Structures are given as C-alpha cells and as structure tokens.
Amino acid sequence: MSHDYILGIDLGTTNSLVGVVDSGFPILLADSEGKRSTPSVVFVRPDGTLQSGPAALRQRALHPARTVTSVKRLIGRRQGEGEWQPPYDLTALGSTPVEISAAILRHLRDIAETRMETTITRAVITVPAFFNDAQRNATKRAGELAGLTVERILAEPTAAALAYGLNKLDEQKKIAVFDLGGGTFDVSILEMRDGVFQVLATAGDTQLGGDDIDRAIAAHVWDHWSANGGVWFDQLPAEVRVRLTTAAEAAKIVLSDHPTARIDLPFLWQNQSLSIELSREDLDKLATPWAERTRAHCWRAMTDAKVKPADLDEVILVGGSTRMGIVRSIAADIFGREPNTSQNPDEAIAMGAVIQAGIIAGSLRQIVLLDVTPLSLGIETFGGLMNIIIPRNTTLPCKAGEMFTNAVANQESMLIRVLQGERELAKDNWELGRVVVPFPPGAKGSARVGVQFSIDANGILEVLTRDTVSGRDTILKIENTAVDVDDAKVEAMISESVEHAFEDMNERVWTESALKAKELLPAVDEALAQLGTEIAPDEAQRILDCAREVSTLLASEVHDARALKAAVALLDDATQTLAVMLVEKAMDEALARRGF
Ligand code: ADP
Ligand code: MG
C-alpha cells in the first residue's frame, strides 16, 4: 500500500517537532534517541558541512561560535535588521538562515522517513502569526531546500487551537493563545467563524522566553558561589557560561515537578567544582520579573482585538515555558480564569500542524472502495444517545474517528459502548462490545479520548481508543458485526427505525434539551444571586418565570420535547442581559484591581 504522507512541522526557535497522521491518528515521531522534540540547533563543521539535532547541541559548549541557535530570529530579515545579535557570525561561517533552517527541516524529514519507512516529500510548516511575507517565504524556501513541497504555512496559534480541538466549536468563539517558548513570547486572539480561524490580534516580545530565565538562574548561582573570585557572570568565557546556563535550564525543568533541584558542575572554574541546591521559591523569584512582562502584551492584544478577558471562550497555554507554575498563575491572573492546559504545551503546535496536514492529505478519513456497512456503527454518548461514527452504506474497508471528552470534572474513565443500528437511542441498538478508557482526572472537558473505528475488507471491526494525553491505547476486536448478520435482521432494524422515527426524534430532542436545561438552571440561580439588586425587579421576575417553566416541564412525566426545547430557548434568551451584566461586572472589578 502506498502512502502519501504530509508532514506536520513545528519549526521552533528552540525546539522543532515533526509528525504525520498514521491510520487516522495524528502522531509525533521520535528520533533515534527516543525524543519527539529536536533542538533547533545546527553545528557548522570546519569544512562547511552542517550537522543538526541533539548532536549539534552537544557541540555548543565546545564550539559556541560554530553552533547556530535561534536562527528563526534571523530568517527572512535583512542583515542587521532586528535587535537580536547572535553569538555567531553566520556570514563568516558561510551559511544563510534559509540554509540553516533547511538543515533542521532535513533532519526532521529524516526522522519521519526512518520511522515511517518511506520517502516523504510534502509538509505543513508553522510560523508565528506575526511573521511577514518575507519571513513566510524564506521559511517556505527552507522547506524546498530540504526537498519538501510546502503545502501550507500555518500560523502557530491556529495550529495550537486545532490541537485543542477548538475548531469543533461551531459558533463564533474567541480564544487567546499564550505561547511562551525558549526565546520568544507570542499572544494571539483568534476568532472561530464557520470553521475557520481568524487571527484578530497578535502581540508579543521576540526577546522574552525560557532562555532569559535560564540566564537569570545561571547568574544567580554564579553570584552565590563562594569560589567565583569576584568575576562577573557576563565576563566569563563563553564555554563556562554555556555550562552554567545548560545546568540552570535542567534545574528549572526539574523544579516544575519537584520542590528542589541540585546543580553540580565539576571543575567549573579554576579547578573548583560548583554544587548548589535551588528551591522552587528561588526559581519563582528569579522568573517572576520575566513572566510579568507578558502581562502588558496580553492587554495590548486584547485591546487590539477589542475583547475583554470575559469575552474569551478559552485561554490556552503553549510553549515549554508555560509548564512553570509561576507562568501559569500569572496567565490565570491576566485572563481572570484558569487556562486550559489539557494538551502538552510543547507539542500542541506540532499536533495542530499534523492535523492540518492530515486534513490536506485526506488521511483523517480514509476510504477505499469495496463492500459497504449495512448498518451504522457508533457509540453511546452523554444522555444515552447513539453517536454514529461510521454511517450505514459506507464503503469498506473504512476508518473513522472522533474525539470525546469528559462531561464531569474528576471523571477517571469513560465507558465506550460500541453500538450498531439506526435508532436514535443507544438502548434500541445492538451492543457489540464495551471498553473502559481510563484517563487522569481533571476539569470538565480536559480529557481527550480518541475513538477510532476501522473495518477491514472482511467486515471485522476494530475499535481503537486512545487517551491522547497519555498516549495509552486500548484495542477491541469485534467479529460479529452485521456484515455477517442475515439480511432479514438488517431489514427489520431499518424498518423499525423508520417506524419509530417520530418517537425516537422526540426522545433525542428531549434528552438534548434536558441536558441544556440542567446546565442553564444552576447558572441562572448563581447569576441572580451575584447580581442581586443590580437587576430590575421585573427583569428578574421574567427570568424566574422562564426558569420555573423549564423546571416544571423537566419534572413532568410526559416528555414534551417541543415544549421543553421552546422553554429552554426562552430562558436562554431572557438571560442574555444577565450575561452581559456579569461580563461588565467582572470587567469593572478587574479594572478596579488595577487602580483605574
Ligand atoms: P520554542 O517555541 O521557542 O521552540 P518550546 O515551546 O519548545 O520553544 O519551549 C522551550 C522552552 O521551554 C525552553 O526554554 C525550555 O527550557 C522550556 N521548558 C521545557 N520544559 C520545561 C519545564 N518542564 N519547566 C520549565 N521550562 C520548560
Ligand atoms: Mg514554539
């Protein structure tokens, strides 16, 4: 079978990642050392040839002037443009930013070709939202130099939103993407409209990131070392500074999971060995001034996009540096809410690039002509409804999947009931099997469970479930799908579904409206309690009347779906002003806290 894979690539300032959609799943590919993230570093050998990846990074301590880092800051810029002064002279090394980037892309392509055991020539590459035409074109040229046809240059925040599945939000939603990486900070406000993301505003600082924190730790450690001989950190030879900052970064990463970390550097300076313990408090103190710098940019982006924090439907954190607790709490304070951190911050952009690549390749839904499925296959979802994954009459073999999330907080697992049939309610369809998918408990909506159905040419159904956060898979093989059930039974199921169409539909509408009502009622109570006297008495009465009507219908034994649906819509409508008042109140409070 020949594959036409398209790579999804996050070409980062510090780290780069690559992946593909394989059998319907977006995956990131590991290199020969088992790492899914590759340092964006290129070592220029004395003969002018280029070496990239972890091996190049290891050269940095020995040959800082020949080791090219953060080339993304230089790509597509004229020489001397921009404030950043690299610690190397690229012209003297006889290379260009495009060639260096191409070497990184070539390395990523090699990883993918080795893993997938095939030649791959197409890619989607992400770039910061603020990249101009020259920078985008230069990135594209780097791809071509690495032998890749660049199918799409994708904005990083858009990619991150794709990875979070936010493209599934059908209404008009606004999202903030807060990206603190190794050397840059970007914040973007996106709006999702009719399935397309638009970048409303972007702001940031091209000189702010984890590197600054590493340097602050290194300088702090050096200053507190008794054997420093009165030499300033900045006066140290480059090799010593590199050793110190590398150790500082390692300690910083340890501190995001542990209360303390040790830095041990044998024979660091004048034959003296350094050994120091750092605490989480030390790190927070050193990192706070840097993390605080993101605040003004976030407000700037929100102002440009004309949104207040409360207008945002989601705030997502990406970039390795958002793994730090202090960064998370500052982001939470800026946006006045807990950010969504359910995806891996250092992998989200790459995942989004892979998803986009999969959509272009058409491999997120792969169909080859053969036989067809006689009945729909799906799983039971919230409220006992049938959720169809493979509709009846789909040609075999086929593969299709969907992402599901947890409906309640702290849920630890999900029961997947595999169903076959045409009825709206799960209980009226045939159960083919069931499987329990465990996942780490978290907030409502934080779990990401992929369910993939694949039916081979023989009609054997395989259900693959994956907790995409942990990457754990469960496979359920089902041999007795209705492909081998006799025609009469299939006929009966179909005619039954037609017969019961009306009452089935009624139950579906009822269930969906009831779910919505159960979310709305407590929210209304809470809002009324919060706003209290600020709301006009007749307005409050109207809302209460609507809420009472919904409660009465909900409690009644006859399920009048149409009435409930209408009552819920009325209540939703009546509470519009309430929602606006809540937003304004939150905004006023936020401004007051800032002394306006
Ligand atoms: P970029 O987009 O610039 O390529 P990444 O998103 O890969 O960067 O982030 C790299 C930065 O994240 C580095 O500064 C690294 O030290 C930092 N980082 C990675 N993991 C952690 C962690 N667990 N705690 C703190 N910082 C981390
Ligand atoms: Mg990045």
Side-chain angles (χ1 to χ4, degrees), residues 10-17 37-38 40 72 156 179-184 186 209-214 249-250 252-257 283 318-325 345-347 349:
D10 170 8
L11 183 61
T13 310
T14 327
N15 298 302
S16 296
L17 299 91
S37 160
T38 301
S40 306
K72 193 174 175 178
E156 287 166 9
D179 180 353
L180 188 62
T184 57
D186 297 311
D211 294 349
D212 295 306
I213 296 166
D214 302 343
E249 180 184 16
K252 172 187 77 176
I253 291 172
V254 168
L255 287 172
S256 55
D257 296 322
L283 172 64
V318 295
S321 298
T322 64
R323 286 192 182 273
M324 297 172 67
D346 20 31
E347 296 186 342
I349 290 173

Side-chain angles (χ1 to χ4, degrees), residues 380-461:
E380 174 176 347
T381 56
F382 211 38
L385 297 175
M386 165 83 170
N387 181 307
I388 293 175
I389 291 187
I390 297 183
R392 80 186 209 92
N393 281 338
T394 303
T395 42
L396 297 185
C398 65
K399 213 171 248 181
E402 249 185 87
M403 282 283 202
F404 294 90
T405 189
N406 54 324
V408 287
N410 296 321
Q411 198 175 324
E412 285 179 2
S413 64
M414 208 183 266
L415 170 68
I416 308 279
R417 285 184 66 207
V418 181
L419 306 170
Q420 182 168 40
E422 304 309 313
R423 304 287 300 273
E424 296 282 347
L425 298 186
K427 68 174 172 54
D428 297 324
N429 290 318
W430 302 330
E431 178 174 323
L432 300 179
R434 45 173 72 194
V435 54
V436 174
V437 186
F439 46 78
K444 175 180 171 188
S446 63
R448 314 274 300 149
V449 174
V451 177
Q452 185 195 58
F453 279 22
S454 57
I455 311 178
D456 66 14
N458 303 315
I460 294 174
L461 169 67

Side-chain angles (χ1 to χ4, degrees), residues 252-271:
K252 172 187 77 176
I253 291 172
V254 168
L255 287 172
S256 55
D257 296 322
H258 299 86
T260 59
R262 278 215 82 77
I263 294 185
D264 282 306
L265 291 166
F267 309 111
L268 177 69
W269 181 246
Q270 294 175 339
N271 266 340

Side-chain angles (χ1 to χ4, degrees), residues 461-481:
L461 169 67
E462 201 177 86
V463 179
L464 173 63
T465 61
R466 172 176 297 174
D467 168 14
T468 61
V469 177
S470 71
R472 197 167 25 199
D473 289 346
T474 322
I475 293 177
L476 183 68
K477 252 197 162 72
I478 296 168
E479 316 236 356
N480 62 333
T481 55

Side-chain angles (χ1 to χ4, degrees), residues 104-138:
I104 299 170
L105 291 168
R106 177 74 240 188
H107 182 73
L108 296 170
R109 184 182 161 194
D110 284 345
I111 293 174
E113 291 186 334
T114 307
R115 285 286 158 244
M116 305 315 294
E117 299 178 327
T118 178
T119 331
I120 305 176
T121 59
R122 300 160 76 195
V124 168
I125 305 177
T126 59
V127 297
F130 64 79
F131 254 28
N132 63 25
D133 244 24
Q135 291 165 306
R136 285 166 199 254
N137 278 325

